[in-house]
Amino acid sequence: MPFSTTGSKTELQAVNQILASVGQAPVTSIDTETITDQNGNSVTVVTNPDVAIAYDTLEEVSREVQGEGWTFNKEFDYPFTPNNNNQILWPNNVLQMDLSDNPKYASSYQEKDTVKRSGKLYDRRNHTFTWTETIYCDVTWFFTWEDLPSPIQDYITCRAAAIVSSRLVGDPAQYQILQQKEAYARAVAMEYECNQGDYSMFGYPREGTFYQSYQPYNTLQRY
């Protein structure tokens, strides 16, 4: 028989878990308002100060954890096509992006070295923003909260709770307890990662190749 879907933990649930961890009362909603900053830009802020700290910390930690690169948000050999100006814009939901090291493409990328600059992909070896063909990159994506796997959500929440405790309470005993829970949540997240990634002693599978033989030129480069 088919199973109903319950959905993942919401940001509100995560924020309330953080608040409960530091002895604060839960909230029924994350109330926000739009203000204008000193540069004239509209900014959405959380009105309740304690909730704002919990929510902002949750967002901060989510970006940090996803930036590590996990099976769920890391993608290899992803194609990027230049626009009409022969430039490749850096997507807002990309945390890391580098030219693919797949042997299928790597030989043609030896004379390129890419970084993010001015919101675009820049080749700092050839000093140019210009790209004349589709390139393939290894990408680490940033996902919204609802799209994160539950073990990753739990780890982010526990880590954020420990940080909020240090910012709001400052009780060493409480902080130590929350750190222990964070360590357990990370162990669960790593177990999930190992199961999903199908890793072996030679690394992870990639197009059926588990092991790349030793290449001396990667260790010694003589000019």
Side-chain angles (χ1 to χ4, degrees):
M1 61 177 294
F3 293 92
S4 60
T5 57
T6 57
S8 59
K9 180 191 297 181
T10 65
E11 285 184 311
L12 177 60
Q13 290 174 313
V15 167
N16 278 333
Q17 184 176 332
I18 294 171
L19 292 174
S21 298
V22 297
Q24 298 293 320
V27 295
T28 57
S29 64
I30 302 176
D31 297 325
T32 61
E33 65 177 356
T34 302
I35 62 175
T36 303
D37 63 15
Q38 58 184 3
N39 297 321
N41 300 318
S42 296
V43 180
T44 301
V45 297
V46 179
T47 54
N48 185 306
D50 290 344
V51 175
I53 292 175
Y55 181 77
D56 291 344
T57 304
L58 185 71
E59 292 288 301
E60 171 191 335
V61 173
S62 178
R63 184 170 290 273
E64 289 176 356
V65 171
Q66 291 191 57
E68 295 181 30
W70 303 73
T71 301
F72 74 90
N73 74 330
K74 199 167 181 63
E75 198 163 356
F76 300 101
D77 307 334
Y78 190 89
F80 287 90
T81 303
N83 59 18
N84 294 333
N85 297 321
N86 288 332
Q87 296 177 340
I88 296 178
L89 301 181
W90 190 284
N92 292 330
N93 61 335
V94 167
L95 295 174
Q96 299 179 36
M97 180 164 66
D98 195 18
L99 291 173
S100 172
D101 59 0
N102 188 330
K104 181 178 179 181
Y105 310 108
S107 59
S108 61
Y109 294 157
Q110 290 180 357
E111 299 303 319
K112 297 180 175 63
D113 186 11
T114 56
V115 294
K116 178 182 180 181
R117 186 171 296 178
S118 301
K120 293 171 285 190
L121 195 64
Y122 179 72
D123 182 357
R124 65 176 186 171
R125 178 165 294 184
N126 296 293
H127 317 294
T128 180
F129 287 104
T130 301
W131 302 90
T132 57
E133 60 184 3
T134 298
I135 64 169
Y136 295 85
C137 296
D138 296 339
V139 183
T140 301
W141 301 98
F142 176 76
F143 290 135
T144 58
W145 182 257
E146 288 74 14
D147 289 331
L148 300 179
S150 293
I152 305 299
Q153 287 182 337
D154 293 339
Y155 170 50
I156 292 172
T157 304
C158 290
R159 181 171 173 179
I163 295 174
V164 170
S165 173
S166 68
R167 291 174 176 175
L168 283 182
V169 183
D171 181 359
Q174 182 188 80
Y175 180 72
Q176 184 176 8
I177 292 173
L178 292 175
Q179 273 199 317
Q180 291 174 352
K181 181 153 189 199
E182 175 191 340
Y184 173 76
R186 181 169 180 86
V188 173
M190 292 303 297
E191 176 70 16
Y192 167 84
E193 171 69 7
C194 291
N195 291 334
Q196 291 293 310
D198 298 326
Y199 299 101
S200 74
M201 62 181 295
F202 295 119
Y204 52 83
R206 180 173 179 172
E207 297 182 355
T209 300
F210 285 77
Y211 177 68
Q212 185 173 3
S213 61
Y214 172 67
Q215 297 170 314
Y217 70 85
N218 286 330
T219 304
L220 295 175
Q221 292 187 0
R222 301 181 183 276
Y223 297 93

